Amino acid sequence: MNAEQKPRLDPNKVFVGANPIIWSNDDFNELNGDLPLDELLADMRRAGYAGSELGHAYPRSSDALRNALDSHQLRLVSGWHSTFFATQNRTSELDSLDKHCALLASLGAQVAVVAECSHCIHGDRNAALGYGDRDRKTLNAAEWTHLIDGMNAAIGIAARHGLSLVYHHHMGTVIQTGDELDRLLAGVPELDLVLDPGHLAFAGLDPVAVLERHSKRVRHAHLKSVRPEIAEKARAENWSFHRAVCSGVFTIPGDGMVDFPAIFARLAALDYAGWLVVEAEEDPTLVPPLPKAIRAREYVREQTGL
């Protein structure tokens, strides 16, 4: 098969959005956390994106959120929701997810992004990241049962709103290693996956291999890469997630170590339908957001035609 015959992502089924973390960090307020929402959305549209995920500055009422996005001709893609099924009351966790899904569905989103944040340390500026199962907090047997039971119940909550529940593997959480991700997906057969090559690569996993292994589960994609020399230093020197982010461990697609052409080709072969969401959190005083967002959008267009 020559280059002209390679499968292409379908522009009628695949759309390119952005995550506001490019401009304003949800975990660390000193990283442009006070940026006005209108300025952020104007930049996002100026950079050529069709939709946005939620961030901390976004209103959580349907009408206010719709007005904010409509004023910049942006669609709602989805939004992160932290779950604590392993350690908290399942009923209250499901009630919280239900409200979140209702908001997403009211603005036409198709997926709800979740991540288990029991014992998470990615928001702790001083907590060293661990990479194995002995240098970080992991789930015990009872907590695994609670997590799997909770996620299975959450599938039904999302489905009642017409949404697919998609899981976001994330550094600094209890679902960080390949074995943990495999165990979760095996235990919750209807749970889909957010392919986030940046977090996978930072965790020491091969994003293309994860995509191959779980290809039928990928319903959403975040596009960011990793600078390998910074990731290696973070691991060797026991950095926190905060230090790694501020030092530039994450970067935009087209830079860093992630093989995005291979990822795009595989998604096309799978007839992927949904959003490709660009994100790459860095210190905005060192790396201005808008030029970075524009470069990333141009790269995705060059590689996919979208």
Side-chain angles (χ1 to χ4, degrees), residues 22-25 30-33 282-289 292:
I22 298 172
W23 287 267
S24 182
N25 197 286
E30 72 272 21
L31 301 181
N32 231 15
E282 296 182 83
D283 185 339
T285 64
L286 301 176
V287 186
K292 176 173 65 176

Side-chain angles (χ1 to χ4, degrees), residues 104-256:
L104 296 180
S106 72
L107 272 77
Q110 299 296 308
V111 299
V113 177
V114 294
E116 178 65 17
C117 289
S118 296
H119 308 313
C120 70
I121 54 91
H122 62 276
D124 186 334
R125 289 165 171 77
N126 300 312
L129 289 170
Y131 294 87
D133 57 4
R134 294 177 182 165
D135 57 358
R136 47 187 284 272
K137 178 72 173 178
T138 58
L139 299 178
N140 62 36
E143 289 170 337
W144 265 110
T145 298
H146 295 324
L147 171 58
I148 287 173
D149 288 348
M151 283 293 171
N152 275 306
I155 298 291
I157 297 291
R160 286 206 296 272
H161 293 282
L163 302 171
S164 295
L165 199 70
V166 292
Y167 193 86
H168 192 318
H169 163 279
H170 198 284
M171 285 295 294
T173 71
V174 292
I175 305 299
Q176 177 175 296
T177 69
D179 287 346
E180 289 163 349
L181 181 59
D182 291 347
R183 182 174 178 177
L184 177 64
L185 292 177
V188 192
E190 295 181 63
L191 181 64
D192 288 318
L193 180 64
V194 179
L195 181 73
D196 189 309
H199 279 279
L200 292 169
F202 191 10
L205 305 175
D206 178 355
V208 178
V210 172
L211 173 56
E212 291 287 349
R213 188 163 66 254
H214 298 298
S215 59
K216 295 180 180 179
R217 311 286 286 272
V218 173
R219 289 291 306 276
H220 196 54
H222 284 173
L223 308 183
K224 66 172 174 284
S225 190
V226 165
R227 294 183 174 99
E229 67 282 2
I230 299 176
E232 290 166 9
K233 195 169 185 180
R235 183 188 293 258
E237 298 180 5
N238 298 317
W239 287 6
S240 67
F241 185 72
H242 176 265
R243 183 176 178 186
V245 167
C246 292
S247 299
V249 70
F250 291 128
T251 184
I252 56 175
D255 188 20

Side-chain angles (χ1 to χ4, degrees), residues 9 223 253 259-269 276 299-300 303-304:
L9 291 161
L223 308 183
D259 186 355
F260 277 101
I263 288 173
F264 293 141
R266 183 60 181 144
L267 289 174
L276 303 175
Y299 176 78
V300 174
Q303 292 294 319
T304 67

Side-chain angles (χ1 to χ4, degrees), residues 78-135:
S78 186
W80 169 289
H81 182 79
S82 298
T83 63
F84 299 85
F85 288 123
T87 56
Q88 301 297 322
N89 178 270
R90 188 172 75 177
T91 299
S92 62
E93 286 297 300
L94 292 174
D95 286 345
S96 176
L97 177 64
D98 185 56
K99 294 180 177 66
H100 179 68
C101 287
L103 175 64
L104 296 180
S106 72
L107 272 77
Q110 299 296 308
V111 299
V113 177
V114 294
E116 178 65 17
C117 289
S118 296
H119 308 313
C120 70
I121 54 91
H122 62 276
D124 186 334
R125 289 165 171 77
N126 300 312
L129 289 170
Y131 294 87
D133 57 4
R134 294 177 182 165
D135 57 358

